[in-house]
Amino acid sequence: MQLLRGQAAGSSRPRLAVGTLLDLYGEDFDPREGRWHYALSKDADRFDPMQEHRHHWERQQLPADIARHVNLLLQADALVLHFPFWWLSAPAILKGWMDRVFVYGGLYKSGMRHENGAMRGKRALLVATAGSSMQACAPDGRDGDMRLMLWPLMNALHYIGFDVLELYLTHGVRGGLAADTAKQQDDRLAQQVLKYQAKLAHWEEWPSVPFNRNEDFTDGKTLLEDP
Ligand SMILES: Cc1cc2nc3c(=O)[nH]c(=O)nc-3n(C[C@H](O)[C@H](O)[C@H](O)COP(=O)(O)O)c2cc1C
């Protein structure tokens, strides 16, 4: 994943600045939430992750890796998550990163969610590769609508306040190809990378995913008839 910072001098348009690259596999990030991460156990009898999050956040005693990731998120203007599509979702390490880094009490709590979330004013983008074709991943495709399947991630990012941009997907990326076909794929992907870089240079123009605001829901948390 990439955390981007920076505002062009004298301009209200966010520019793409050199970002911080986080490689979850590279740093051997532990995606398992568990009591062993917490130095000051709030409840030794029962491990309650949300209570431990809040307890450790309030005492500034988050696990070191989580404190580092949280600080990077708080300083960033944008978050780009790069991942391969695995079993109709993101790899488990990314879900585990969300479980542990989206700290309850710190990045979200009652009254600090959605448009009032800690990440408000920041943008998040999912960039994924898939083995299947664009047609197979379309709403009427054999493999199902990829945007719908990645909706839980987009919704979670919005939950902590991000302005979520429309997905950037690259299809038909596969290994084990014969030499000629592999070469064709490499050439196609090299073009895709240029296309992606060109698009990323104008990331401020990317469309956001429309979300309803809290005021659009009833007290029972269902959508008003005429929001
Ligand atoms: C565990 C696993 C599950 C996968 N599941 C899917 C899937 O559900 N849909 C799909 O289109 N491709 C799937 N693929 C293919 C990957 O998306 C594809 O290999 C990857 O995007 C290629 O990028 P990479 O070279 O960076 O790994 C899967 C691959 C693996 C290893």
Side-chain angles (χ1 to χ4, degrees):
M1 70 187 62
Q2 229 176 333
L3 295 131
L4 306 174
R5 290 188 66 188
Q7 192 91 10
S11 160
S12 58
R13 278 162 53 108
R15 72 175 161 78
L16 187 63
V18 177
T20 303
L21 203 61
L22 285 178
D23 173 0
L24 296 183
Y25 279 99
E27 65 179 68
D28 204 15
F29 182 83
D30 184 356
R32 300 166 308 152
E33 182 61 292
R35 66 166 74 244
W36 61 88
H37 292 300
Y38 297 93
L40 319 166
S41 184
K42 179 171 164 56
D43 182 345
D45 296 329
R46 176 175 178 271
F47 175 61
D48 181 331
M50 289 174 77
Q51 297 310 316
E52 296 298 352
H53 278 199
R54 189 167 56 183
H55 190 65
H56 287 72
W57 167 271
E58 285 170 352
R59 285 155 190 79
Q60 298 185 19
Q61 290 285 339
L62 288 173
D65 55 345
I66 303 305
R68 185 168 71 89
H69 287 210
V70 165
N71 283 333
L72 285 169
L73 279 180
L74 290 171
Q75 289 162 20
D77 294 317
L79 167 70
V80 185
L81 299 174
H82 294 264
F83 59 91
F85 196 52
W86 279 5
W87 287 117
L88 314 176
S89 187
I93 197 168
L94 185 55
K95 174 62 166 52
W97 178 81
M98 294 166 89
D99 295 343
R100 294 191 58 215
V101 174
F102 294 2
V103 173
Y104 174 63
L107 297 197
Y108 74 98
K109 60 186 170 186
S110 171
M112 196 170 87
R113 290 183 281 204
H114 306 120
E115 66 266 23
N116 302 316
M119 295 295 125
R120 65 188 175 278
K122 303 174 192 283
R123 292 167 169 209
L125 170 66
L126 303 185
V127 179
T129 54
S132 297
S133 67
M134 186 160 66
Q135 291 82 350
C137 297
D140 62 349
R142 182 199 61 188
D143 293 1
D145 184 352
M146 202 165 155
R147 186 175 183 274
L148 191 63
M149 289 183 268
L150 292 175
W151 181 252
L153 272 78
M154 294 194 278
N155 206 1
L157 291 164
H158 169 64
Y159 194 90
I160 63 166
F162 276 110
D163 178 11
V164 182
L165 303 181
E166 284 292 349
L167 301 167
Y168 191 84
L169 306 175
T170 302
H171 296 277
V173 187
R174 54 188 73 213
L177 299 173
D180 280 1
T181 330
K183 167 89 175 59
Q184 281 170 11
Q185 172 168 283
D186 286 351
D187 292 346
R188 180 172 58 85
L189 291 178
Q191 291 299 318
Q192 287 274 4
V193 169
L194 293 178
K195 213 171 115 192
Y196 172 58
Q197 284 173 336
K199 222 167 147 52
L200 204 53
H202 299 282
W203 67 299
E204 73 277 9
E205 291 166 10
W206 283 31
S208 296
V209 176
F211 282 93
N212 284 98
R213 296 174 64 82
N214 278 313
E215 69 206 23
D216 297 334
F217 294 91
T218 64
D219 290 344
K221 311 295 179 222
T222 55
L223 200 58
L224 289 162
E225 276 189 19
D226 189 13

